Amino acid sequence: MPATRTRRWKSVAWATAAVLVGLTAPALTASSAAATTTDYDSTYYKNAIGKTGASLKSSLHTIISSQTKISYDAVWDALKVTDQDPNNSNNVILLYSGVSRAKSLNGGDTGDWNREHVWAKSHGDFGTATGPGTDLHHLRPADVTVNSIRGDKDFDNGGSSVSNGGGSLTDSDSFEPRDADKGDVARMILYMAVRYDGGDGFPDLEPDEKVNNGSAPYIGKLSVLKQWNDEDPPSAFEEKRNQVIYDTYQHNRNPFIDHPEWVDAIW
């Protein structure tokens, strides 16, 4: 079962009413992601609690790098468990479109679902190698056609509607997931940036502020991903998925699902 979570929402200071003619109250800004506590804070995350910035990122890297790796072929069956439709055990929920589709329709033809690398393979040149190429924390089932439209584009706001994309948008160099998946995408990308830092034979993956990054080990846009993390907090589906990966497959966690406020603490 997912870990027990409690939230301590950051307070927003409200201006007192102006009593003099001509005075105006200062504008209010949106609060950042909620601070959280989980059952794992005193165990799994104990060496990260209380840290910020580079120190927090380094601690989380050490923690989540202890994982069991699976093959690319094994990803097919794993996704049928991690992304199972909670209302239909014969189906999976597809990223970007939100469609519920039969588990048996995995493949490469139109109407099938395939294995989407949210951190696109070309943005790090890791292909399907065991490690970043097979890491379930950023691999999701997606409609073959929608996945092809996303391709290896960076993430940003704007564009034209993606056909059968559930509200997703795209233009020549970026992709905007539907609202319900924006936070998921942000937390998957930032997990990859912490997990793969160049010290284990793979590229040092980092988010930046550019689009059209090509094959460099970067992906954008960081400011937009941070916004999506705040606007679309972890859902029950996302939390359960994190737990299944931890319990059954990789035995590591995406810390930004457990602690979305750590995004702002690091970046």
Side-chain angles (χ1 to χ4, degrees):
M1 296 294 291
T4 302
R5 300 163 57 86
T6 60
R7 298 187 179 275
R8 297 179 288 108
W9 292 98
K10 294 182 179 179
S11 61
V12 178
W14 293 89
T16 56
V19 293
L20 299 176
V21 175
L23 292 182
T24 58
L28 296 175
T29 57
S31 60
S32 43
T36 60
T37 59
T38 79
D39 291 344
Y40 293 100
D41 288 359
S42 61
T43 53
Y44 189 73
Y45 293 124
K46 65 180 180 181
N47 292 329
I49 298 300
K51 296 180 179 179
T52 60
S55 178
L56 174 58
K57 185 180 180 184
S58 177
S59 293
L60 291 177
H61 169 75
T62 299
I63 292 167
I64 67 178
S65 294
S66 177
Q67 74 181 91
T68 300
K69 299 179 179 68
I70 68 173
S71 71
Y72 196 49
D73 283 342
V75 168
W76 284 122
D77 288 334
L79 293 181
K80 294 175 183 180
V81 179
T82 60
D83 291 75
Q84 179 174 290
D85 183 344
N87 298 314
N88 184 344
S89 62
N90 294 315
N91 288 11
V92 291
I93 299 293
L94 305 187
L95 186 69
Y96 305 141
S97 64
V99 169
S100 177
R101 186 164 295 169
K103 292 178 179 179
S104 60
L105 291 175
N106 62 298
D109 297 328
T110 301
D112 288 344
W113 60 269
N114 59 5
R115 298 160 291 186
E116 156 71 333
H117 289 81
V118 177
W119 188 295
K121 297 189 296 290
S122 65
H123 288 257
D125 195 28
F126 49 73
T128 59
T130 300
T134 66
D135 196 313
L136 291 171
H137 283 298
H138 86 119
L139 279 159
R140 298 285 292 270
D143 176 79
V144 166
T145 302
V146 175
N147 192 1
S148 178
I149 292 171
R150 188 265 157 146
D152 64 354
K153 294 175 182 176
D154 295 273
F155 293 105
D156 197 3
N157 291 313
S160 301
S161 178
V162 173
S163 180
N164 299 314
S168 299
L169 306 174
T170 194
D171 56 24
S172 62
D173 57 15
S174 70
F175 189 90
E176 178 183 343
R178 67 187 185 117
D179 289 347
D181 286 335
K182 286 179 177 175
D184 304 52
V185 165
R187 288 179 284 273
M188 286 186 280
I189 290 294
L190 298 176
Y191 160 87
M192 292 292 284
V194 171
R195 170 61 185 89
Y196 300 99
D197 69 352
D200 51 4
F202 294 108
D204 182 3
L205 305 182
E206 288 294 339
D208 65 7
E209 276 302 302
K210 298 178 182 178
V211 295
N212 198 21
N213 278 317
S215 60
Y218 304 103
I219 206 163
K221 280 184 173 181
L222 176 58
S223 61
V224 173
L225 295 171
K226 290 176 63 178
Q227 174 190 351
W228 291 352
N229 175 61
D230 283 346
E231 292 177 347
D232 175 33
S235 65
F237 183 89
E238 193 180 357
E239 291 173 350
K240 182 177 180 180
R241 187 177 197 277
N242 195 28
Q243 193 68 36
V244 171
I245 293 172
Y246 177 73
D247 288 337
T248 306
Y249 295 101
Q250 297 183 180
H251 310 296
N252 72 340
R253 304 183 67 81
N254 182 334
F256 303 115
I257 296 175
D258 293 322
H259 282 278
E261 78 279 6
W262 280 349
V263 170
D264 287 332
I266 293 174
W267 288 281

